[in-house]
Amino acid sequence: MVSGSLARLASEAVGAGGWSFAQIAQRLSPAVFKFQEVVADRASGSYVWTTDGRKHLDFASGIGVLSTGHCHPHVVSAIQQQAGEIIMAQQNILPASKAMVALLQRLERIMPSSLTSHFFCNSGAEAVENAMKIARNYTGRQNIIAFDGAYHGRTYGAMALTTSKTVYRQNFGPYPSGVNVAPYPYCLHCKTRQAAGGLGYEVAPNVPPLGKPYAERQCCGGPQEALDWMLKMHTAPSETAAIIIEPILGEGGFLTPPPGFLTKLRELCDKHGMLLIFDEVQCGVARTGRWWGHQHLTEAQPDLLLFAKGIASGVPFAGISARPEVYSKMSHGMMGGTYGGSAIGCAAAAATIDVIEGEGLLQNAAERGQQLTRGLLSLAERYPIIDVRGRGLMLAAEFGQKQPDGSLRAEPGTASKLTHAAGRRGLLLLGAGARETVRFLPPLTVSSGQVEEGLAVLEDCLQEVLG
Ligand SMILES: Cc1ncc(COP(=O)(O)O)c(C=O)c1O
């Protein structure tokens, strides 16, 4: 069992360096949400230890960052070695480092074939900002279509594209203009589906062997139609630069669009000369059991693919992989950044890719994902879980109950109560989206025993919160 299940309440937790947690917190911005009152001490694999002596099973992975787990020895040694050789090869002054070449060679193996030109930066939001610049510059058009429930980051451009929760935007306006938000298919809550009695969506993932084949999932077609109307009523194709989408919606609730949806976006973009941007910051880098989340859903390739989080196992690193053509109208100096493509980041990213390949983590993500899904489906038989969804180790359970009118309703605060109950028992979990959803993002190295351990703690929490 996870140690610390009887640990003291967070308010009593001790700090570090002779300071209590309260003394530390009073020196930190209160605007940053603090899940629990703990101070990280050290971490290894799927576990984190805090200075109060507690051990935590990490099913949040730094919000999907720790693809190879905490402090994977190969990644640590690559960082250490790089730090002794060159830490900073500034990209304007020293355009490449040996570590960057190593990374470029690996990206050639794992990226969709048409995305052969790479730009490196430091965070997902920075990748999004740069993608907006590329799209506007290449097309000479202003508007961007984003999707309801998307999360693209906290900087102004990215925030304007973000609608997963009001807290990310409230009181920060005005936002940059030119953003149009289209509906993202949330089939579980689709009113047309409810009126038609289900349309093939049920509490079972759309992935064999645990659920129906994805191709059999039906859709009322509403969101696709809304996009067509958006291009007739809100933003003319001639002024629309790009469509940006998370192929599997992250912060917004781990939603997978119905079959054909991403392919339709590709067709629309081809038809109207718009760029298709896949934001794979959360669903990319093997998280779903394939290198890129969209590869479960479509043969189509985007014009730009954004990555961050899992790429460098915790070292800030991000990038855009693109069709080279999209830079044809850029001149030197139009993009950049002091730290982009840092040697340390490149070394960590190259080592991360080596570990994912060398340790068979794509397969582990798929297999452990199935195990976790099976466990969640079994819990759904006893607790009010209305959906289990996702791919690989990007999984979510949504809570609620069917109402007499066919709609689904959840007790407000369920997800938060559950994640906090889990936190008290030493299991790190996160909520997702504005509805009552809990997401599971264990490291891709997670073992079968650790999945069982997490499920057992989760069941205790369900018992405590939902009875
Ligand atoms: C899909 C997606 N895009 C962009 C971002 C922003 O990334 P960052 O926090 O590195 O700026 C996130 C972060 O959660 C994300 O999930």
Side-chain angles (χ1 to χ4, degrees), residues 63 122-126 128 151-154 246 248 250-251 279-283 308-309 439:
I63 322 188
N122 309 287
S123 70
E126 207 186 328
V128 170
Y151 181 91
H152 294 291
R154 291 177 182 271
E246 296 167 72
I248 299 181
E251 299 291 316
D279 179 345
E280 294 239 11
V281 166
Q282 191 152 166
C283 68
K309 288 190 185 284
R439 58 180 144 163

Side-chain angles (χ1 to χ4, degrees), residues 17-179:
W19 281 356
S20 69
F21 184 83
Q23 286 173 302
I24 297 166
Q26 117 198 359
R27 289 164 170 83
L28 296 172
S29 164
V32 176
F33 171 67
K34 294 171 189 65
F35 176 66
Q36 37 177 355
E37 299 187 353
V38 292
V39 178
D41 184 1
R42 70 203 152 83
S44 173
S46 299
Y47 294 100
V48 180
W49 286 263
T50 45
T51 54
D52 52 7
R54 297 174 61 204
K55 181 182 177 189
H56 310 253
L57 177 60
D58 192 352
F59 273 22
S61 296
I63 322 188
V65 167
L66 300 153
S67 44
T68 59
H70 287 274
C71 303
H72 189 288
H74 184 69
V75 178
V76 170
S77 126
I79 294 170
Q80 284 171 337
Q81 191 184 328
Q82 189 59 51
E85 290 174 6
I86 182 166
I87 295 175
M88 168 64 160
Q90 205 285 326
Q91 60 183 340
N92 305 116
I93 302 163
L94 300 163
S97 60
K98 278 195 302 176
M100 187 185 280
V101 176
L103 175 59
L104 289 170
Q105 288 171 344
R106 284 155 181 78
L107 289 180
E108 218 157 286
R109 290 206 295 270
I110 67 168
M111 274 295 162
S113 57
S114 58
L115 309 182
T116 55
S117 181
H118 312 284
F119 168 77
F120 299 122
C121 51
N122 309 287
S123 70
E126 207 186 328
V128 170
E129 297 289 333
N130 280 286
M132 290 173 80
K133 286 196 210 172
I134 294 169
R136 285 178 167 168
N137 171 267
Y138 178 66
T139 59
R141 306 172 185 174
Q142 244 189 29
N143 294 349
I144 313 265
I145 296 178
F147 286 88
D148 215 15
Y151 181 91
H152 294 291
R154 291 177 182 271
T155 48
Y156 263 89
M159 181 173 59
L161 302 171
T162 291
T163 50
S164 57
K165 269 191 197 156
T166 48
V167 71
Y168 300 133
R169 297 163 58 98
Q170 71 191 27
N171 301 342
F172 293 149
Y175 316 107
S177 59
V179 174

Side-chain angles (χ1 to χ4, degrees), residues 67 286-287 289 356 359-371 392-393 443-448 450-451:
S67 44
R287 172 56 48 197
I356 292 172
E359 296 188 6
L361 297 189
L362 289 165
Q363 195 178 341
N364 195 56
E367 287 174 6
R368 298 286 71 75
Q370 278 179 16
Q371 181 189 353
L393 286 170
L444 307 181
T445 48
V446 72
S447 71
S448 163
Q450 289 163 351
V451 168

